């Protein structure tokens, strides 16, 4: 989704803006632009990549001491130069605005502003903000006040950065529902929608809160909160030191971030579970101070998430039932928020999200609260995200920044966290003997090594990729807890290789999808040596008998023999509860290598964005 960078310093800030935009590229975008002040406002916009913007800046020798920049993921209006940000208001004394998010009441405001004589040159909701601020500036003492007055009229979730031609010495920003932060530097101050944009410039970060409006100049910043008062009340916000290393956001020896992130999974899971590794027993406090009290009170679990995080929730349902003995529902956030579900206050509502900024997940969780759910838990990878701040309990997946759009290490760390949660709930609810608790801790300690061992299958999976790259469709089959893993495998393949892939619970095959099976339809099956293996083998026979080509990920002890049209890759012996986590890795490799064969943009697949901050 869109990204914002702003900078004001005593030196030329164009390199900082461009470097920041490059760091935000992973979020997904279809146009980019910047504006700097240097004897007036100078704007550059392109529907190309950030490197194109850099080329334009070099050609036009663009420089300045203050500027704002943006990568746009189109919502209102097609991706085009005239819709790219920054947007202006005014012919001579101009206001420039960049914006993330959506203004829901933009139509009403547009009608009002047109009546006031403002002329619109784009199809965006952002241009409405620029004209509204220009209009309010006529009544306000300064830009900061005009922004406060304007945001009182804006509905929706957004973050904005604003500059004024006549006052090049300051940038004003506002946050409401979309992330925005200030970077405090030695020789200047900065703003961005994501801290990775600023890490090369400063590590001192202030995370703005809902309703905050801030003004920065090259030496200072001031922040007011306009949530309740239009004039704003001065507020203090803590300066955090970012602990994200430069290596965490650099590609290093890898070809793609996705590849790097697949290989980081053993260490990401080890970091996530570190507190358990060093303990003799599992403590509910890992999930927050009130966790023990809440965990002993609840009688069911409700999981809300989107995409890959939703798949993690689907896996967790099996663990909640079998390990913790708790009923568990799993909901797609964008569906749940528009239903009329019956709330039971003794439910633990879990929001799972890598980014912690997914608009649907955030809205569904606040809807659950409105319905009367009292207890909520966030499982999230971003410490300062909106999700983490809105739940009673929280658990951080410590996967480090995930930059590839296709989620990999976030998924396996979510699974590790959810298994730990199921075991913790089982313990608190006396479903787990001390011996079984010890066995579980031992299994979790073994997980990073087990993941490391699965990574060795890469070359075998790669051998399958060329054949897949020729196909237009693929089916993924799994049973039980491995059915959601099949869903995740299909999602990975479609999002980065653009091959249509669907997952089915293998038992469902004969109820319809079997009609699709022919030699052109590769069928991927996950065949661990669990209690459903016999049933799955019968389902695979049904495919084999109809000339389908099977690609099976089995365990060493699954006893599946290769034959004509049946290819098999074996992992280690069956890993019990850890099995779905381990069986994820070969499917990630499959998607990755098929995408390489097809020469797609692995880290930035078309039309997709990393953090989906709009509905
Ligand atoms: C797929 C993928 C998406 C995200 C989904 C939710 O690879 O990354 O399906 O899982 O957009 O995002 P988060 O987890 O940030 O809420």
């Amino acid at each position: 989704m869109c990204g914002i960078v702003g900078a004001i310093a005593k030196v030329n800030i164009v390199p900082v803006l461009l470097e920041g935009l490059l760091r935000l590229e992973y979020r997904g975008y279809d146009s980019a632009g910047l504006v700097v002040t240097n004897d007036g406002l100078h704007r550059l916009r392109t529907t190309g990549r950030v490197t194109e913007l850099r080329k334009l800046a070099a050609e036009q020798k663009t420089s300045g001491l203050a500027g704002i920049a943006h990568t746009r993921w189109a919502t209102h209006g097609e991706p085009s130069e005239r819709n790219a940000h920054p947007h202006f208001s005014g012919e001579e004394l101009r206001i420039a605005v960049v914006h993330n998010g959506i203004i829901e009441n933009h139509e009403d405001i547009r009608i009002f502003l047109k009546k006031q004589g403002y002329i619109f040159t784009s199809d965006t909701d952002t241009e409405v903000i620029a004209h509204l601020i220009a209009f309010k500036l006529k009544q306000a003492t300064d830009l900061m006040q005009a922004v406060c007055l304007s945001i009182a009229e804006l509905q929706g979730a957004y973050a904005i950065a604003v500059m004024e031609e006549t006052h090049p010495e300051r940038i004003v920003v506002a946050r409401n529902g979309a992330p925005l932060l200030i970077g405090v530097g030695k020789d200047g101050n900065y703003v961005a929608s994501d801290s990775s944009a600023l890490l090369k410039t400063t590590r001192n970060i202030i995370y703005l809160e809902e309703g905050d409006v801030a003004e920065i100049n090259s030496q200072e910043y001031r922040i007011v909160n306009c949530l309740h008062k239009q004039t704003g009340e001065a507020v203090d916000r803590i300066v955090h030191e970012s602990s994200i290393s430069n290596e965490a956001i650099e590609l290093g020896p890898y070809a793609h971030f996705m590849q790097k992130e697949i290989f980081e999974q053993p260490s990401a899971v080890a970091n996530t579970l570190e507190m358990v590794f060093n303990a003799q027993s599992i403590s509910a406090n890992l999930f927050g101070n009130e966790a023990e009290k809440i965990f002993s009170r609840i009688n069911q679990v409700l999981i809300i998430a989107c995409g890959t995080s939703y798949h993690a929730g689907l896996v967790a349902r099996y663990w909640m039932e079998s390990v913790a003995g708790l009923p568990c529902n799993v909901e797609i956030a964008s569906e749940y928020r528009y239903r009329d579900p019956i709330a039971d206050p003794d439910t633990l509502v879990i929001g799972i999200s890598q980014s912690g900024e997914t608009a649907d997940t955030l809205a569904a969780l606040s809807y659950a609260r409105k319905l009367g759910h009292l207890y909520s838990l966030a499982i999230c990878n971003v410490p300062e995200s909106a999700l983490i701040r809105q739940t009673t309990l929280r658990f951080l997946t410590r996967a480090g920044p995930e930059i590839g759009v296709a989620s990999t290490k976030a998924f396996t760390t979510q699974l590790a966290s959810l298994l730990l949660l199921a075991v913790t709930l089982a313990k608190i609810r006396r479903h787990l003997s001390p011996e079984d608790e010890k066995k579980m801790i031992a299994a979790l300690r073994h997980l990073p090594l087990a993941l490391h061992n699965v990574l060795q299958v890469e070359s075998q999976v790669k051998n399958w990729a060329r054949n897949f790259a020729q196909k237009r469709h693929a089916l993924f089959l799994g049973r039980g807890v491995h059915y959601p893993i099949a869903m995740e495998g299909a999602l990975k393949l479609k999002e980065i290789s653009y091959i249509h892939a669907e997952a089915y619970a293998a038992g469902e095959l004969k109820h319809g999808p079997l009609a699709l099976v022919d030699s052109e339809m590769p069928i991927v099956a996950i065949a661990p040596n669990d209690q459903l293996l016999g049933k799955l083998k019968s389902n695979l026979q049904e495919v084999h008998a109809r000339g389908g080509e099977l690609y099976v990920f089995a365990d060493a002890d699954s006893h599946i023999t290769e034959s004509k049209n049946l290819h098999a890759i074996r992992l280690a012996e069956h890993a019990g509860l850890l099995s779905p986590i381990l069986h994820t890795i070969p499917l990630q490799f499959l998607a990755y290598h098929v995408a390489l064969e097809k020469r797609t943009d692995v880290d930035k697949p078309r039309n997709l964005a990393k953090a989906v901050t709009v509905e």
Side-chain angles (χ1 to χ4, degrees):
M1 299 258 123
C2 307
I4 291 177
V5 191
I8 185 156
K10 293 182 184 123
V11 293
N12 176 23
I13 47 67
V14 171
V16 175
L17 296 182
L18 290 168
E19 167 67 23
L21 289 188
L22 275 176
R23 294 284 165 200
L24 294 182
E25 275 197 309
Y26 78 98
R27 296 175 69 91
Y29 68 106
D30 32 45
S31 59
L34 61 80
V35 65
V36 294
T37 52
N38 189 348
D39 239 350
L41 293 177
H42 299 275
R43 176 170 68 177
L44 303 174
R45 297 187 291 182
T46 173
T47 49
R49 311 303 285 179
V50 174
T51 43
E52 183 62 28
L53 195 66
R54 171 174 278 166
K55 221 163 97 197
L56 284 176
E59 277 163 17
Q60 300 186 21
K61 299 193 172 38
T62 309
S63 72
L65 303 183
I68 50 181
H70 192 258
T71 43
R72 172 175 187 255
W73 189 82
T75 56
H76 295 73
E78 55 170 15
S80 64
E81 203 177 305
R82 85 188 174 92
N83 285 333
H85 300 203
H87 286 283
F88 282 171
S89 178
E91 286 296 306
E92 281 158 21
L93 303 177
R94 287 172 296 184
I95 299 282
V97 174
V98 294
H99 156 230
N100 287 1
I102 283 183
I103 305 302
E104 284 163 5
N105 58 340
H106 70 100
E107 277 304 348
D108 294 345
I109 305 178
R110 190 187 307 263
I111 291 167
F112 168 78
L113 289 167
K114 276 187 177 168
K115 282 190 191 143
Q116 306 304 310
Y118 289 92
I119 294 164
F120 285 79
T121 58
S122 78
D123 309 316
T124 64
D125 49 348
T126 310
E127 198 181 357
V128 167
I129 310 176
H131 291 316
L132 184 64
I133 294 172
F135 176 70
K136 295 287 181 191
L137 200 52
K138 293 181 189 160
Q139 314 149 26
T141 48
D142 61 10
L143 184 61
M144 194 168 186
Q145 199 189 36
V147 170
C148 281
L149 291 172
S150 302
I151 64 171
E153 295 189 15
L154 299 177
Q155 287 164 16
Y158 54 83
I160 56 173
V162 191
M163 293 186 68
E164 192 186 0
E165 186 151 38
T166 44
H167 286 281
E169 73 288 356
R170 64 187 178 208
I171 297 172
V172 174
V173 296
R175 171 197 166 132
N176 191 13
L180 196 66
L181 50 91
I182 298 178
V184 184
K186 275 202 194 93
D187 304 312
N189 287 310
Y190 309 88
V191 291
S193 49
D194 180 328
S195 62
S196 57
L198 299 181
L199 286 182
K200 286 228 161 142
T201 312
T202 177
R203 298 191 152 269
N204 298 325
I205 304 291
I206 299 170
Y207 296 96
L208 294 178
E209 302 206 352
E210 298 312 331
D212 278 358
V213 175
E215 180 185 292
I216 63 167
N217 62 37
S218 62
Q219 280 140 31
E220 334 168 283
Y221 59 86
R222 70 186 172 105
I223 308 170
V224 298
N225 189 274
C226 295
L227 213 51
H228 304 298
K229 280 191 182 169
Q230 285 189 358
T231 45
E233 221 167 82
V235 284
D236 268 339
R237 300 280 177 237
I238 298 166
V239 182
H240 298 259
E241 195 182 331
S242 173
S243 57
I244 299 174
S245 68
N246 277 336
E247 296 80 69
I249 55 166
E250 303 280 356
L251 204 46
Y254 295 96
H256 298 96
F257 280 104
M258 182 178 179
Q259 185 193 29
K260 178 181 184 227
E261 287 156 9
I262 290 174
F263 279 94
E264 279 174 348
Q265 290 177 104
S267 61
V269 166
N271 287 340
T272 302
L273 296 177
E274 193 187 354
M275 270 100 75
V276 183
F277 295 170
N278 299 329
Q280 297 306 314
S281 68
I282 290 170
S283 155
N285 280 346
L286 293 171
F287 296 89
N289 295 339
E290 287 182 79
E292 185 153 357
K293 198 174 69 196
I294 294 174
F295 287 178
S296 47
R297 223 173 260 176
I298 55 148
N299 56 26
Q300 60 174 320
V301 172
L302 166 65
I303 297 178
I304 297 175
C306 302
T308 288
S309 297
Y310 169 70
H311 295 157
L314 290 176
V315 173
R317 171 161 63 193
Y318 292 84
W319 292 332
M320 291 301 161
E321 290 168 352
S322 66
V323 180
L326 276 167
C328 176
N329 281 320
V330 190
E331 299 272 1
I332 294 173
S334 55
E335 287 295 313
Y336 178 81
R337 60 185 288 199
Y338 295 113
R339 293 217 333 266
D340 295 313
I342 314 301
D344 173 349
D346 290 331
T347 305
L348 178 65
V349 181
I350 305 174
I352 309 174
S353 173
Q354 187 286 127
S355 62
E357 302 293 344
T358 301
D360 282 320
T361 306
L362 293 174
L365 280 176
S366 41
Y367 182 52
R369 257 198 314 277
K370 225 195 276 164
L371 290 176
H373 284 295
L374 302 175
Y375 310 125
S376 56
L377 163 68
I379 298 212
C380 182
N381 197 36
V382 180
E384 292 300 330
S385 63
L387 180 65
I388 286 285
R389 280 186 268 151
Q390 66 167 249
T391 50
T392 351
L393 305 174
R394 53 203 61 91
F395 188 87
L396 276 178
T397 51
R398 292 157 72 195
E402 189 179 65
I403 292 176
V405 163
S407 193
T408 51
K409 61 178 180 172
F411 181 64
T412 42
T413 54
Q414 286 167 351
L415 291 181
S417 314
L418 287 159
L419 180 55
L420 175 64
L421 175 66
V423 173
T424 311
L425 286 165
K427 180 180 172 181
I428 303 285
R429 300 168 54 77
R430 302 187 198 290
H431 258 259
L432 192 74
S433 67
E435 297 74 55
D436 284 344
E437 182 183 357
K438 282 206 180 74
K439 279 189 201 149
M440 273 318 306
I441 296 178
L444 291 171
R445 278 201 190 115
H446 174 65
L447 182 54
L449 178 63
L451 282 165
H452 173 81
N453 293 340
V454 188
L455 289 172
Q456 315 310 317
V457 301
E458 182 182 17
S459 56
Q460 295 175 65
V461 181
K462 195 174 163 186
N463 289 337
W464 287 0
R466 184 158 301 160
N467 191 16
F468 269 80
Q470 318 302 322
K471 308 290 182 192
R472 298 191 52 217
H473 308 274
L475 277 183
F476 284 65
L477 302 179
R479 288 195 79 134
V481 69
H482 295 87
Y483 167 43
I485 298 301
M487 294 168 83
E488 176 57 11
L491 176 63
K492 287 289 92 95
L493 187 69
K494 66 186 139 197
E495 70 178 321
I496 61 167
S497 76
Y498 315 148
I499 292 174
H500 170 230
E502 291 302 327
Y504 278 93
E508 273 291 288
L509 206 57
K510 54 190 168 299
H511 298 290
L514 202 51
L516 294 170
V517 171
D518 64 11
S519 59
E520 284 311 298
M521 174 75 87
I523 307 213
V524 180
I526 305 159
N529 184 18
D530 61 10
Q531 72 279 20
L532 291 169
L533 181 63
K535 309 265 175 217
L536 181 90
K537 281 183 176 172
S538 307
N539 303 138
L540 300 189
Q541 280 306 323
E542 292 158 10
V543 174
H544 208 230
R546 283 155 185 89
E549 191 159 15
L550 281 159
Y551 294 83
V552 183
F553 292 106
D555 287 341
D557 46 0
S558 291
H559 304 293
I560 287 185
T561 358
E562 288 199 87
S563 61
K564 185 169 178 281
N565 286 351
L566 195 161
H567 317 273
I569 290 177
R570 286 174 198 80
L571 275 56
E573 290 190 350
H574 184 54
L577 284 173
L578 303 183
S579 177
I581 311 181
L582 302 179
H583 271 276
T584 302
I585 309 285
L587 299 174
Q588 295 171 344
F589 277 136
L590 183 64
Y592 177 69
H593 284 289
V594 175
L596 289 191
E597 287 287 337
K598 295 197 73 182
R599 298 176 191 277
T600 59
D601 193 346
V602 172
D603 285 336
K604 296 187 277 292
R606 67 186 180 203
N607 306 337
L608 298 183
K610 184 65 186 163
V612 186
T613 50
V614 297
E615 191 178 341

